[in-house]
Amino acid sequence: MSVLSLNNVKKSYKLGDGSEFPVLKGINVSFDKGELVSIIGESGSGKSTLMNIIGGLDSKFEGEVLVDGKNIGAFTEKELDIYRKNKIGFIFQDYNLLPSLNVWENIVLPLGLDNKKVDDNYVMVIIKTISIEDKLKNLPNALSGGQKQRVAIARALASRPSIILADEPTGNLDSRTELEVIALLKTCVTKYGQTLVMITHDET
């Protein structure tokens, strides 16, 4: 069952001379529930632009982005904000953890900002799945790169989004930790039935 579909999505950027540079030239693709998809391409090929459009961070594009049958391109800013909070979980290459908060606080922060009740049992299941239960009181500066990425993954899963968007999630990791993180993402997708769209330049 398709949870996300892109129909003839186009995006161009204006250059200094007034001309337009096309980045996305009519993207047609659909993503099923529980599917893990990699979008692979060189730097500048439009991967992050596509991710920003799917995530509701860029609303200036042509075509349709349908999530559960609703075109997010027609959403107001308020509706986009609700969409990002309820439907999307973001995992970034640079982790985006707050240095003054410990691991637990970083994981549940988005829920608190959205005035949602934290389901402690559900969050702890995630934490145990990704093996950071002994790091909950640690600040980010006491974690390795792989541990920080695990925290970022837990934070993305904690709000139960239907779609996880991962932007170069292993770009700052060594090869061994990279394989561990990818295996972890696969496990989470299978266990929680979410759709994972990951962009990378690494074909391996």
Side-chain angles (χ1 to χ4, degrees):
M1 176 183 176
S2 176
V3 296
L4 170 65
S5 297
L6 280 68
N7 300 324
N8 198 30
V9 172
K10 300 177 181 178
K11 174 73 178 183
S12 297
Y13 291 108
K14 283 192 178 297
L15 302 179
D17 61 4
S19 63
E20 291 193 345
F21 176 71
V23 180
L24 304 178
K25 304 176 183 179
I27 304 297
N28 293 283
V29 64
S30 62
F31 305 90
D32 293 333
K33 179 177 176 155
E35 188 174 24
L36 190 158
V37 180
S38 292
I39 300 173
I40 302 171
E42 299 176 352
S43 296
S45 60
K47 304 186 304 298
S48 293
T49 298
L50 184 61
M51 186 74 76
N52 288 339
I53 288 173
I54 294 172
L57 299 173
D58 185 344
S59 59
K60 300 184 185 307
F61 62 89
E62 297 180 47
E64 289 184 327
V65 176
L66 302 176
V67 177
D68 295 333
K70 296 179 181 178
N71 180 18
I72 69 169
F75 282 6
T76 64
E77 281 301 318
K78 183 176 181 180
E79 289 171 330
L80 280 174
D81 187 47
I82 294 171
Y83 163 73
R84 287 189 294 266
K85 289 177 179 177
N86 295 337
K87 289 287 186 181
I88 303 293
F90 293 98
I91 303 172
F92 300 99
Q93 179 178 346
D94 56 1
Y95 321 126
N96 282 8
L97 304 181
L98 292 182
S100 61
L101 301 183
N102 65 31
V103 166
W104 174 266
E105 291 165 339
N106 265 289
I107 291 171
V108 301
L109 177 65
L111 295 170
L113 292 175
D114 201 26
N115 295 317
K116 290 182 179 178
K117 187 178 183 331
V118 177
D119 185 338
D120 291 357
N121 292 331
Y122 174 73
V123 175
M124 279 307 301
V125 169
I126 295 171
I127 286 168
K128 289 177 180 177
T129 298
I130 64 177
S131 302
I132 54 169
E133 60 266 34
D134 61 337
K135 305 292 182 183
L136 296 183
K137 294 184 179 179
N138 288 31
L139 294 176
N141 64 5
L143 304 176
S144 68
Q147 290 167 340
K148 289 177 183 177
Q149 195 58 291
R150 288 168 185 264
V151 176
I153 291 168
R155 181 182 56 196
L157 294 172
S159 59
R160 304 178 194 250
S162 57
I163 301 168
I164 304 288
L165 300 179
D167 189 352
E168 301 278 7
T170 61
N172 290 329
L173 306 178
D174 59 66
S175 57
R176 178 180 175 181
T177 308
E178 177 181 9
L179 292 174
E180 290 176 353
V181 168
I182 293 299
L184 175 60
L185 287 170
K186 288 181 179 179
T187 298
C188 291
V189 167
T190 302
K191 186 169 185 174
Y192 300 110
Q194 291 151 319
T195 300
L196 173 65
V197 182
M198 177 178 67
I199 66 172
T200 181
H201 65 273
D202 186 347
E203 292 193 15
T204 304

